[in-house]
Amino acid sequence: MMKLQLLYNEYLNIKFNRGLPSVRTNCLEYYLLEDNSAQLLFADRKNESFTEWVYELQPRDPNYTVNPDWKPMLSTIFKHLDVYDELILYYLLFTINTTTSIVKINPFNAMNDFMKNYCFFQLAQLTDTSRLNDKQRHQLRDFFFFFFLYTHPVNEETLYSFSFSGQDLVHTKTNINMEHYFSIFHDYYIENLDKHRDKLSLAPHEINASKNLTMELLRSLEGKSTKLTMPPEKGLEAVIQLINDVDYLIHIYSENKTTLFGIMRDFLSDNRSTPYRDHCFSTLLQNYVSYILYFEFDEINDLVDYFKGTPLWCGMIINKIFTDAIFIRKIMKQNHIDITEYKNVIEFFDQEARRIYL
């Protein structure tokens, strides 16, 4: 089995140019492209990637046919599956697999890329969080999973097609368990490789490696695996401890919230910028949004009170909270919060925050 944590470390290493030695995991390894994007490739064939091998297997789109007259490939096993459902399940498979892709960042995709990665990481954390009750955990899981799909982005239909039954992700309409479906999907191609040689160049052991990784990614999303952690970096110990241990974040905030604000202040006063440091700080700020403001939005007043004496830092934190992601917009909408009533907050808004929220 592939160790997902090792792969995740490698993903962060390449994405944020950390310069650490590369790790080959199983028969898949990252390959850096000229535009600074990177794909996970099958090590023995540099022309086939983990995300792209299923391209050729995309089902025909029944939405372009008045009366589709074909059956889903796995219809004998999944009796309730129709050709519309089959396409949606394919989109989910592709969305999960592309979590491993490193794309070239531009102003138009930066927020979506951050949010998809953030939600994947949080879904892998939630099960272990004992300071949230079951209702809170389920609320946040649905919230993160919605944005995981939304920021991919998937079409409207796919966005609302799945739900959790206990810890299992299921296709709501048919009640098909996704772990079961993806397992059968890969096994079918391993067993019927010759029949699909026109679309498939992989060997059985490569499809099996792909299956194992897809399953690990899915189990992480479902919160069934060992939680992922952000790897350490010198000078970031306090920030990374809070990211890797949500219980600790909630605990220190409830004991004395200025402890959390002090860690933010220390980060900003140590004025060194690297892509990984900035990513970790953005993650910490969105954790404050997800685990504190989600349940009590008015806590934002205490943050502003603490930092208003250093307006530059206060503006930096507020604008990152409001423009690195739109989680806070969804939270305000859910709770019918009008941000214009928070004059102390919006006075720190930069042009981008004003454009989005005012």
Side-chain angles (χ1 to χ4, degrees):
M1 287 294 277
M2 178 174 289
K3 273 255 187 289
L4 192 57
Q5 183 66 56
L6 284 176
L7 186 76
Y8 191 65
N9 291 355
E10 183 72 346
Y11 168 88
L12 295 172
N13 182 26
I14 294 168
K15 183 167 188 161
F16 299 114
N17 201 15
R18 298 188 70 210
L20 302 174
S22 273
V23 181
R24 177 173 165 174
T25 44
N26 216 347
C27 67
L28 290 157
E29 61 186 342
Y30 272 108
Y31 189 73
L32 202 58
L33 305 172
E34 283 169 10
D35 64 356
N36 285 336
S37 66
Q39 286 287 354
L40 204 52
L41 298 187
F42 292 95
D44 296 333
R45 61 180 88 234
K46 288 288 191 276
N47 60 344
E48 189 77 89
S49 82
F50 167 63
T51 53
E52 286 171 0
W53 78 273
V54 292
Y55 270 177
E56 295 293 323
L57 309 178
Q58 179 167 341
R60 274 168 71 191
D61 190 338
N63 297 296
Y64 295 112
T65 311
V66 181
N67 290 309
D69 60 355
W70 66 92
K71 283 195 157 109
M73 186 187 70
L74 299 175
S75 60
T76 54
I77 300 165
F78 299 100
K79 304 276 193 282
H80 303 306
L81 192 70
D82 66 26
V83 287
Y84 299 95
D85 302 327
E86 182 185 38
L87 188 60
I88 285 168
L89 300 193
Y90 167 83
Y91 288 147
L92 179 69
L93 172 65
F94 187 70
T95 301
I96 290 172
N97 285 356
T98 52
T99 310
T100 61
S101 297
I102 296 167
V103 298
K104 183 176 167 60
I105 298 297
N106 59 53
F108 305 105
N109 70 2
M111 187 192 280
N112 274 6
D113 183 71
F114 170 75
M115 288 173 68
K116 184 178 177 186
N117 177 266
Y118 176 86
C119 289
F120 178 76
F121 186 78
Q122 296 312 318
L123 285 161
Q125 308 297 308
L126 269 176
T127 312
D128 286 351
T129 311
S130 60
R131 285 184 174 267
L132 297 172
N133 60 39
D134 284 348
K135 184 186 174 194
Q136 290 172 321
R137 259 198 307 273
H138 292 158
Q139 278 178 316
L140 281 175
R141 181 177 63 179
D142 290 344
F143 182 80
F144 292 139
F145 187 67
F146 171 85
F147 277 113
F148 174 77
L149 294 178
Y150 178 81
T151 54
H152 171 68
V154 297
N155 60 18
E156 187 89 355
E157 219 175 349
T158 308
L159 187 57
Y160 296 105
S161 286
F162 301 94
S163 51
F164 287 94
S165 170
Q167 268 190 283
D168 298 334
L169 186 65
V170 297
H171 179 242
T172 313
K173 181 184 144 197
T174 58
N175 207 31
I176 289 172
N177 176 303
M178 293 321 302
E179 195 172 343
H180 182 50
Y181 181 83
F182 289 153
S183 180
I184 301 281
F185 174 91
H186 288 85
D187 291 347
Y188 168 85
Y189 282 108
I190 291 170
E191 287 155 20
N192 296 278
L193 203 50
D194 290 342
K195 213 193 292 186
H196 298 279
R197 267 290 165 224
D198 56 328
K199 295 177 177 177
L200 266 179
S201 62
L202 297 186
H205 75 278
E206 290 169 322
I207 300 176
N208 199 50
S210 185
K211 170 187 170 177
N212 288 340
L213 179 51
T214 294
M215 295 311 223
E216 288 210 41
L217 293 166
L218 174 63
R219 291 177 64 79
S220 238
L221 282 173
E222 294 175 319
K224 293 175 181 172
S225 307
T226 312
K227 71 176 183 181
L228 291 173
T229 57
M230 289 288 202
E233 176 143 326
K234 194 168 167 46
L236 271 185
E237 293 83 1
V239 170
I240 286 175
Q241 185 184 7
L242 290 172
I243 292 171
N244 287 341
D245 189 346
V246 169
D247 276 342
Y248 180 61
L249 170 79
I250 297 169
H251 168 70
I252 68 160
Y253 192 82
S254 62
E255 292 285 308
N256 182 0
K257 58 191 75 169
T258 61
T259 310
L260 174 61
F261 300 153
I263 289 168
M264 294 176 185
R265 186 196 59 223
D266 291 346
F267 175 88
L268 292 172
S269 61
D270 181 13
N271 191 18
R272 289 179 296 134
S273 177
T274 68
Y276 185 62
R277 280 174 63 81
D278 297 344
H279 175 73
C280 288
F281 191 57
S282 291
T283 301
L284 176 62
L285 292 181
Q286 294 307 323
N287 277 12
Y288 168 72
V289 171
S290 302
Y291 298 102
I292 309 296
L293 300 187
Y294 184 95
F295 301 109
E296 191 49 70
F297 190 82
D298 279 353
E299 290 292 319
I300 200 165
N301 293 321
D302 293 329
L303 176 78
V304 173
D305 284 346
Y306 182 89
F307 280 104
K308 66 185 178 194
T310 47
L312 200 67
W313 288 354
C314 194
M316 199 180 292
I317 287 173
I318 289 295
N319 289 303
K320 282 183 78 58
I321 281 174
F322 281 85
T323 65
D324 280 352
I326 53 167
F327 302 130
I328 201 159
R329 184 159 78 179
K330 177 89 165 169
I331 292 164
M332 292 191 302
K333 195 175 173 188
Q334 280 176 188
N335 298 309
H336 311 292
I337 289 162
D338 179 1
I339 195 63
T340 61
E341 290 172 10
Y342 292 78
K343 300 274 189 288
N344 58 336
V345 175
I346 60 177
E347 72 172 277
F348 290 101
F349 274 10
D350 62 12
Q351 211 174 346
E352 178 67 359
R354 287 178 178 278
R355 183 186 66 77
I356 299 173
Y357 295 94
L358 299 181

